[in-house]
């Protein structure tokens, strides 16, 4: 589907970045061949690329210059070759790249993905040498980075001639152009308590086996299920071949409309349309069976919605993840793991309230006690806190604050 997509890329890196793409590679293996061809193709499309031997002067390979280049890059293309792991600098780069938590598009150049992931073949030989020189902690960090990147979608090349290599480079360039135009979901103006719960869910989604997994996220209206699931999506989206996120599903939303949205996002084909619910289920099943997909259904209200969107574990490709959020526990009790969203604690509630009203994490002078009272009465529900704070943003009149406190105290 990548071949069908046409996007425009600005000729300057996104705000806050010096480079669009950082190319990480073992020079002796690929500099004069694949990497140089990929570099030229990217530059030809107006993409600003960091290539270490071009951008760093001789002798600057180690140290702050390289660190700054990594920090200043929007996405990364590590090119894994047979001799990649022999270079401690390549392994060090890879660990730093993962620390940025940005887009990584790996290329496995004439090397088996499994050798990278499991450190077999030439990678095993390289690590036998490294074990004599480096600490366990350093080796563990390198191994983890290789395992993680080996699980990511990317491209595998073989010694199949220049024509196939050119076609593969063309696909990589198109994917880069798509990613440069991808904007992460805005999570929240004040994401108090979001990061820790998003991380809990990410850990739940991880698995030692390679099978598919379905996770339910349960919580009452207004507790932040949508906010949290957007944060989860931003963290893991780049680990999948295809994704779809359907936010704020309602009872009144036609099921065919939901099916069309899922299919269009998974296939990247805006013209995709189903005739009826039954054919939609069949088509979705066909399109996801061979892909590692991430599908998020936010705010599911009925079993019919879930069934119509092909959310059956046995239909999913290995490594796929389905996330369903709902306020109804009975919808999430079919072969799913369930994460129950936590209410904000007293300190978090007050912080969120104050950020909305005062623009700081602490209450304004003379408003400490009443702010604590209103925040506490909201029972840790972010939408309730936001509702009360919106009524008080433009007033310092204590009588009006007292009225809001009375209203808050009446909540069941």
């Amino acid at each position: 589907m990548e071949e069908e997509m046409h996007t425009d890329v600005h000729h300057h890196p996104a705000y806050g970045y010096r480079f669009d793409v950082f190319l990480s590679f073992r020079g002796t293996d690929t500099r004069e061949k694949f990497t140089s061809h990929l570099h030229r193709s990217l530059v030809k499309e107006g993409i600003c690329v960091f290539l270490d031997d071009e951008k760093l002067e001789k002798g600057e390979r180690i140290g702050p210059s390289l660190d700054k280049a990594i920090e200043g890059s929007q996405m990364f293309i590590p090119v894994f070759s047979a001799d990649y792991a022999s270079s401690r600098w390549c392994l060090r780069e890879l660990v730093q790249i993962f620390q940025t938590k940005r887009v990584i598009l790996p290329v496995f150049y004439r090397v088996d993905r499994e050798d990278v992931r499991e450190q077999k073949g030439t990678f095993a030989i390289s690590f036998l040498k490294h074990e004599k020189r480096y600490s366990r902690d350093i080796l563990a960090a390198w191994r983890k980075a290789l395992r993680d990147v080996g699980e990511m979608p990317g491209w595998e090349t073989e010694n199949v001639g220049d024509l196939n290599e050119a076609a593969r480079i063309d696909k990589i360039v198109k994917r880069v152009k798509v990613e440069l135009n991808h904007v992460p979901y805005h999570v929240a103006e004040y994401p108090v308590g979001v990061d820790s719960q998003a991380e809990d869910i990410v850990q739940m989604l991880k698995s030692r086996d390679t099978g598919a997994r379905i996770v339910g996220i349960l919580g009452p209206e207004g507790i932040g299920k949508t906010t949290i699931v957007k944060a989860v999506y931003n963290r893991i989206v780049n680990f999948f071949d295809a994704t779809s996120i359907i936010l704020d599903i309602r009872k009144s939303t036609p099921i065919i409309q939901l099916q069309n949205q899922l299919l269009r996002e998974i296939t990247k084909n805006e013209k995709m349309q189903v005739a009826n619910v039954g054919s939609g289920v069949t088509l979705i099943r066909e399109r996801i069976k061979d892909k590692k997909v991430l599908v998020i259904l936010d705010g599911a209200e009925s079993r019919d919605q879930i069934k119509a969107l092909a959310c059956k574990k046995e239909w999913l490709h290995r490594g796929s993840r389905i996330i369903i959020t709902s306020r109804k526990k009975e919808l999430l009790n079919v072969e799913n793991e369930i994460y129950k969203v936590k209410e904000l604690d007293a300190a978090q509630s007050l912080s969120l309230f104050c950020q909305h009203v005062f623009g700081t994490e602490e209450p304004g002078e003379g408003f400490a006690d009443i702010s604590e009272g209103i925040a506490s009465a909201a029972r840790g529900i972010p939408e309730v806190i936001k509702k009360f704070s919106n009524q008080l943003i433009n007033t310092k009149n204590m009588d009006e604050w007292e009225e809001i406190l009375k209203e808050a105290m009446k909540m069941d």
Side-chain angles (χ1 to χ4, degrees):
M1 291 300 167
E2 292 175 46
E3 293 85 344
E4 299 172 9
M5 301 189 67
H6 302 281
T7 55
D8 295 320
V9 174
H10 297 296
H11 286 258
H12 300 282
Y15 179 78
Y17 296 106
R18 292 178 60 200
F19 307 101
D20 292 317
V21 175
F22 182 106
L23 273 178
S24 173
F25 63 99
R26 180 68 167 133
T28 55
D29 279 0
T30 69
R31 179 185 285 112
E32 301 302 324
K33 295 180 182 179
F34 181 85
T35 300
S36 63
H37 298 161
L38 175 58
H39 176 245
R40 282 198 298 271
S41 296
L42 290 167
V43 171
K44 187 178 178 181
E45 291 294 325
I47 297 168
C48 184
V49 183
F50 175 87
L51 193 67
D52 59 0
D53 54 356
E54 175 188 276
K55 299 292 183 185
L56 289 182
E57 295 181 8
K58 191 173 182 180
E60 286 192 306
R61 172 75 177 170
I62 308 168
S65 294
L66 186 66
D67 295 342
K68 287 179 181 178
I70 291 174
E71 186 58 36
S73 297
Q74 188 173 354
M75 73 175 64
F76 304 89
I77 303 179
V79 180
F80 296 97
S81 53
D83 204 32
Y84 184 94
S86 69
S87 167
R88 64 186 186 277
W89 305 118
C90 286
L91 295 170
R92 174 180 176 271
E93 277 181 14
L94 187 63
V95 171
Q96 286 185 275
I97 285 169
F98 267 99
Q99 289 171 349
T100 68
K101 297 182 180 179
R102 297 175 195 155
V103 176
I104 302 174
L105 304 176
V107 176
F108 303 93
Y109 180 76
R110 298 178 183 176
V111 64
D112 195 310
R113 171 192 292 272
E114 186 178 350
D115 287 355
V116 176
R117 184 175 62 241
E118 306 296 337
Q119 293 95 64
K120 296 180 179 179
T122 57
F123 283 71
I125 295 170
S126 294
F127 268 86
L128 285 173
K129 296 177 181 177
H130 291 324
E131 286 171 359
K132 299 175 182 177
R133 299 184 59 187
Y134 300 105
S135 69
R136 289 183 179 180
D137 288 346
I138 290 174
L139 292 170
W142 290 351
R143 288 185 183 279
K144 183 179 186 306
L146 290 170
R147 282 197 303 272
D148 289 346
V149 82
E151 294 291 340
M152 300 180 75
W155 294 270
E156 298 178 41
T157 75
E158 297 176 359
N159 191 6
V160 290
D162 294 339
L163 182 62
N164 285 41
E165 183 173 286
R168 193 165 283 107
I169 286 175
D170 186 52
K171 287 185 177 182
I172 295 171
V173 172
K174 287 180 179 178
R175 174 66 182 275
V176 168
K177 292 169 72 177
V178 169
E179 292 294 343
L180 288 175
N181 280 273
H182 169 72
V183 180
Y185 275 95
H186 173 68
V187 174
E189 185 177 7
Y190 305 115
V192 177
V194 172
D195 284 347
S196 59
Q197 299 207 64
E199 184 58 30
D200 288 344
I201 295 168
V202 169
Q203 293 303 317
M204 182 181 284
L205 291 167
K206 289 182 178 179
S207 177
R208 291 184 180 180
D209 61 51
T210 58
R213 181 168 288 193
I214 299 175
V215 168
I217 300 178
L218 177 67
E221 196 76 25
I223 200 168
K225 298 185 296 296
T226 300
T227 301
I228 292 169
V229 84
K230 286 191 290 186
V232 171
Y233 179 86
N234 287 342
R235 290 180 183 217
I236 65 176
V237 60
N238 298 309
F239 288 86
F240 297 87
D241 300 322
T243 65
S244 175
I245 176 168
I246 305 177
L247 297 173
D248 199 22
I249 297 172
R250 301 284 183 180
K251 274 185 179 179
S252 58
T253 305
I255 288 178
I256 286 181
Q257 182 178 322
L258 300 176
Q259 290 179 323
N260 284 335
Q261 180 180 341
L262 189 150
L263 280 165
R264 289 166 185 169
E265 292 179 356
I266 290 292
T267 65
K268 302 295 185 186
N269 182 353
E270 288 298 321
K271 296 180 180 179
M272 184 70 72
Q273 191 165 336
V274 300
N276 55 63
V277 172
S279 63
V281 171
T282 301
L283 189 55
I284 291 170
R285 183 177 179 180
E286 280 297 310
R287 294 306 174 104
I288 67 174
K289 69 178 183 180
D290 296 321
K291 291 181 179 179
K292 182 181 176 183
V293 300
L294 169 65
V295 176
I296 296 177
L297 310 178
D298 172 52
E301 287 287 333
S302 71
R303 292 191 186 279
D304 287 342
Q305 290 173 336
I306 296 173
K307 289 178 181 178
L309 295 168
C311 293
K312 286 193 175 182
K313 200 171 181 179
E314 60 267 27
W315 293 353
L316 300 171
H317 188 64
R318 66 176 189 173
S320 292
R321 298 290 184 265
I322 305 291
I323 302 174
I324 305 169
T325 80
S326 181
R327 57 191 176 87
K328 300 179 178 181
K329 187 175 182 179
E330 63 270 19
L331 298 184
L332 305 176
N333 274 340
V334 183
E335 66 175 354
N336 298 309
E337 298 171 85
I338 297 178
Y339 179 86
K340 186 177 180 180
V341 178
K342 305 177 186 73
E343 296 88 355
L344 300 181
D345 62 28
Q348 291 171 328
S349 296
L350 181 60
S351 173
L352 181 58
F353 178 81
C354 291
Q355 288 184 67
H356 276 293
V357 178
F358 303 107
T360 65
E361 294 188 12
E362 297 180 355
E365 186 177 350
F367 288 86
D369 290 342
I370 195 166
S371 293
E372 288 180 12
I374 296 171
S376 176
R379 299 172 300 159
I381 306 297
E383 279 302 311
V384 177
I385 294 171
K386 184 177 179 181
K387 171 192 168 185
F388 291 140
S389 62
N390 284 344
Q391 298 177 63
L392 297 168
I393 288 174
N394 297 316
T395 181
K396 295 293 178 69
N397 185 308
M398 189 57 72
D399 289 338
E400 294 183 37
W401 279 68
E402 293 285 356
E403 285 299 317
I404 295 299
L405 177 58
K406 289 178 183 178
E407 179 186 340
M409 297 298 290
K410 291 178 183 177
M411 291 183 59
D412 294 330

